[in-house]
Amino acid sequence: MDCLHTLILRRQNVINQHLKRFGQILTMRPMVKFTINTRPMSQYRSRVVPSPSPSPSTGLLVNDICKSHVRRLCTLSVKWKRTTPCLSVVQSRGVGSKWSREAMSDNKQAEVDPHNIEDLLFDMLAEDGTVNMEHFKNQLLATGLRGHDIRLKECMENLRMIKTRTRSNLIDRATFKWCITDNIVLVSRALMSKLRIPDFEEFSHHIDELYYGAKENTDGEVATYIPQLARMNPEYWGVSVCTVNGQRHSIGDTEKLFTIQSVSKPVIYAIASTDLGTDHVHRSVGKEPSGQSFNEISLNQARQPFNPLINAGAIVVCSMLRPDRGQATRYDYVHEYFKRLAGGEPVGFSNAVFLSEKSSADRNFALAYYMRENKCFPSDTDLKSTLDLYFQTCSLEVNCESISVIAATLANGG
């Protein structure tokens, strides 16, 4: 944390230098807005998936010195409005022009700061005083980050704009610093091997070895308990990995869509726990293993489903999700939640599987009526609507890419 705090102080000094250089007076025309939100240390984790609201241009984690050094942290979100004379020149004259380079650095002495993280990254990547943009992007992507990662949006847009205007891959120090400033935290952590898996290329090589080693194994059969599932191609084989930092690697048939089926149960449980609290959920559902089949018609000694991850428990949990809303609204709510967890990766719906599952769901209907007889549901539960929602969640369509991001989101605490 000391190193991180030092980095933030240096970043603040750079911002202050820019403010003085541009000759702006904050009281007359604010350019930097600071918003401080505190959160418990148990929530101090890097977010893989953005929240529903747009993320700030720059997010920095700093020590909350004014409060507790250990128990709490604060997030300092810096929103840098691009209305400064410097960036106005860049937008009107082109970043690669002589005028823009001079506007971005009033004097050479102020341009190079040995304690500035942007200068350190530039020196690490530069050859003959310039950085090759393609080489920079390749180095960044080699860490496992993706070019379309929303956390790198501003940096990638800046690079594209510069290349379009200058028709050159080479950029100087000032331009490089301007390109990465919005995403400096993630860029610096990636290039300095501070992400969850430092040597991601070596890690990806081992994943590929496992993939090819298992590819020749053609044992087993596709699921047949739902007629539509029996039509899936048994030759599909793919592996996707996503860390809690958003480092990703995929190989094989990772873009082929398939229905999520019972993998939806942990997410449904997480949604209900978030909306209602775990205490509320577990007043109706147990939390112990059943020791029986996932679709067994049985209850625990308290006349409850054993846990939320078997069919009986998942059906009861579905009954808790927005029960006062219409069927379409309930489905949209769950579907949007899955899409947010997937961070923009595809999450669709297979109506064919839904209809097939519903028409062959005698056991799930028996489970539901058995639980209603034992008063497992709230008194006003619409059993048909609840079962439809359960079948719909199992019929959501994903691929290896999207389900890996969902898994990383849950691993990261949501």
Side-chain angles (χ1 to χ4, degrees):
M1 286 308 302
D2 289 337
C3 294
L4 185 57
H5 183 244
T6 301
L7 173 61
I8 302 312
L9 291 178
R10 291 172 181 168
R11 183 74 187 128
Q12 287 178 281
N13 290 334
V14 174
I15 293 174
N16 291 334
Q17 289 174 11
H18 279 294
L19 293 176
K20 292 178 182 179
R21 187 180 307 162
F22 300 148
Q24 298 290 332
I25 301 176
L26 286 176
T27 56
M28 295 176 60
R29 186 175 183 182
M31 294 195 309
V32 180
K33 178 182 178 183
F34 297 89
T35 303
I36 297 181
N37 300 311
T38 59
R39 55 180 177 171
M41 192 168 185
S42 60
Q43 298 178 13
Y44 173 51
R45 295 171 180 174
S46 303
R47 295 296 173 186
V48 177
V49 182
S51 60
S53 59
S55 58
S57 299
T58 306
L60 304 178
L61 293 170
V62 300
N63 234 345
D64 189 359
I65 300 176
C66 298
K67 297 184 180 179
S68 170
H69 286 278
V70 177
R71 296 181 59 190
R72 300 191 67 82
L73 297 170
C74 71
T75 300
L76 175 61
S77 300
V78 182
K79 296 184 178 180
W80 198 336
K81 295 177 64 177
R82 296 189 178 185
T83 57
T84 66
C86 164
L87 297 186
S88 297
V89 172
V90 171
Q91 293 168 349
S92 61
R93 290 285 181 166
V95 176
S97 67
K98 179 180 178 181
W99 186 8
S100 67
R101 289 197 298 270
E102 291 176 352
M104 296 180 77
S105 56
D106 288 344
N107 56 72
K108 294 182 179 179
Q109 185 175 4
E111 184 181 1
V112 180
D113 181 357
H115 302 296
N116 189 331
I117 187 64
E118 292 105 320
D119 284 315
L120 294 176
L121 294 178
F122 181 85
D123 293 335
M124 184 172 68
L125 297 169
E127 292 184 9
D128 299 326
T130 59
V131 167
N132 186 300
M133 287 188 287
E134 292 303 318
H135 174 68
F136 164 61
K137 286 195 289 186
N138 290 337
Q139 290 291 312
L140 199 57
L141 300 183
T143 67
L145 300 179
R146 296 279 177 93
H148 63 269
D149 192 320
I150 194 170
R151 299 168 301 166
L152 295 173
K153 179 181 177 181
E154 293 81 7
C155 177
M156 293 301 171
E157 286 181 350
N158 291 342
L159 292 174
R160 282 193 294 270
M161 181 184 71
I162 292 169
K163 187 170 183 178
T164 299
R165 292 186 176 184
T166 65
R167 298 183 181 181
S168 171
N169 278 326
L170 302 179
I171 52 177
D172 61 13
R173 183 183 297 270
T175 307
F176 174 80
K177 291 165 68 173
W178 176 78
C179 283
I180 68 174
T181 187
D182 286 330
N183 311 122
I184 183 59
V185 174
L186 182 60
V187 170
S188 61
R189 291 190 65 194
L191 295 181
M192 300 178 75
S193 301
K194 298 298 183 182
L195 297 180
R196 182 66 66 181
I197 301 178
D199 190 349
F200 197 75
E201 288 186 302
E202 180 68 16
F203 172 81
S204 299
H205 175 70
H206 289 305
I207 295 296
D208 291 349
E209 287 182 333
L210 294 173
Y211 167 83
Y212 287 113
K215 188 175 183 179
E216 303 304 319
N217 184 351
T218 57
D219 294 342
E221 298 177 351
V222 297
T224 57
Y225 61 91
I226 297 172
Q228 198 70 18
L229 299 184
R231 302 180 182 180
M232 290 297 294
N233 186 345
E235 298 300 318
Y236 288 158
W237 168 229
V239 175
S240 287
V241 176
C242 180
T243 72
V244 293
N245 289 140
Q247 297 168 277
R248 298 173 62 182
H249 176 67
S250 294
I251 183 172
D253 302 313
T254 58
E255 296 185 356
K256 300 293 184 181
L257 295 174
F258 55 90
T259 52
I260 196 169
Q261 293 301 318
S262 286
V263 179
S264 67
K265 292 172 182 174
V267 180
I268 294 300
Y269 173 49
I271 296 173
S273 297
T274 301
D275 288 352
L276 306 170
T278 54
D279 290 341
H280 179 93
V281 172
H282 286 294
R283 281 200 289 267
S284 301
V285 183
K287 55 180 75 171
E288 298 295 333
S290 67
Q292 300 170 341
S293 174
F294 70 97
N295 60 355
E296 189 73 21
I297 302 178
S298 65
L299 300 172
N300 63 16
Q301 293 182 349
R303 311 309 293 165
Q304 297 174 340
F306 283 90
N307 61 70
L309 303 185
I310 57 176
N311 286 18
I315 293 171
V316 171
V317 171
C318 279
S319 73
M320 303 177 186
L321 299 177
R322 303 295 173 100
D324 56 331
R325 307 294 176 87
Q327 182 66 29
T329 303
R330 297 179 74 188
Y331 166 75
D332 282 343
Y333 175 69
V334 173
H335 191 191
E336 286 300 318
Y337 224 113
F338 272 85
K339 289 197 289 187
R340 284 163 52 194
L341 292 172
E345 294 295 337
V347 178
F349 177 74
S350 174
N351 192 52
V353 172
F354 167 69
L355 294 174
S356 180
E357 185 161 352
K358 187 175 179 179
S359 66
S360 59
D362 292 343
R363 193 169 189 87
N364 283 325
F365 277 103
L367 259 174
Y369 283 108
Y370 174 66
M371 289 191 292
R372 186 167 74 173
E373 180 186 19
N374 284 273
K375 297 180 171 44
C376 296
F377 297 105
S379 57
D380 57 346
T381 297
D382 182 338
L383 202 57
K384 179 180 179 302
S385 174
T386 294
L387 283 168
D388 278 350
L389 183 60
Y390 172 72
F391 300 144
Q392 286 170 331
T393 61
C394 293
S395 302
L396 291 174
E397 227 171 20
V398 295
N399 59 24
C400 290
E401 299 269 9
S402 51
I403 203 68
S404 70
V405 176
I406 290 174
T409 305
L410 295 179
N412 197 41

